Amino acid sequence: ASVPVPTHPGGSCTTYSLNGGSDTINPGLYCSISLSGGANLVMNPGVYYLEGGNVNVSGNPSSSLVANEAMFYLDSGDFTMSGNGDIDISAPTSGPYAGLVLFMDRTNGGNISLTGNGSLNTDGTIYGAVSHLNVSGNGSSTVLNSQIIVGTMTASGNGVVQLNYDQIGGYQG
């Protein structure tokens, strides 16, 4: 509860959308981040501040996302990872958000949805105090190396979901 909200980066937010193809983006201020249609995105380390928008990774054919040492902050909106792709997200290892991979604002009641038939691997605390987390799908590998702090949670589907919590690797604020 005492985690400081990231400082607003200033300026106007960018709406980022990738439908197919490959790209790399940097931390900063975004209105939304969306992947679909077999897109492959690498997100460089840092804080991705979402202002009033959603993060949505979906698609068939599968899209992939790699975001190592990245933290997503959503002041409002939803965080959705779905489809048949490979998603690999890890939290920063140092600084004020070390161990924190997703930070939904304390008043953000948006949904966190980790679903689909692909491979999902997260490493870091998922924080959405008033949010609903839905974990479901038929994928062969959903691994959450996470501490989960949410208002409510639903888990369903025919896939394998593995939840690992390591006190040392979780957010230490």
Side-chain angles (χ1 to χ4, degrees):
S2 64
V3 177
V5 170
T7 302
H8 189 282
S12 298
C13 62
T14 300
T15 298
Y16 180 84
S17 181
L18 182 62
N19 185 359
S22 299
D23 199 8
T24 300
I25 62 173
N26 292 314
L29 179 61
Y30 291 86
C31 305
S32 64
I33 297 174
S34 177
L35 302 179
S36 61
N40 298 299
L41 180 64
V42 173
M43 300 177 79
N44 285 324
V47 175
Y48 290 81
Y49 191 112
L50 277 290
E51 182 177 68
N54 302 317
V55 173
N56 187 8
V57 178
S58 63
N60 195 5
S62 59
S63 295
S64 71
L65 171 68
V66 175
N68 292 315
E69 295 198 34
M71 196 270 291
F72 295 89
Y73 171 77
L74 279 74
D75 69 355
S76 63
D78 298 329
F79 186 86
T80 303
M81 301 284 165
S82 64
N84 299 318
D86 296 319
I87 298 168
D88 189 2
I89 304 170
S90 68
T93 57
S94 62
Y97 304 108
L100 187 59
V101 73
L102 175 61
F103 182 178
M104 303 284 276
D105 189 86
R106 289 175 187 84
T107 61
N108 182 357
N111 291 313
I112 304 167
S113 185
L114 307 175
T115 64
N117 299 320
S119 169
L120 170 65
N121 183 27
T122 64
D123 188 5
T125 297
I126 296 170
Y127 178 84
V130 295
S131 299
H132 176 78
L133 170 63
N134 179 32
V135 179
S136 67
N138 300 312
S140 61
S141 177
T142 297
V143 179
L144 304 174
N145 295 308
S146 302
Q147 172 177 226
I148 298 173
I149 303 167
V150 293
T152 57
M153 178 177 169
T154 303
S156 62
N158 297 317
V160 175
V161 176
Q162 182 177 337
L163 177 61
N164 304 314
Y165 170 65
D166 178 357
Q167 182 174 335
I168 294 170
Y171 180 74
Q172 298 298 308

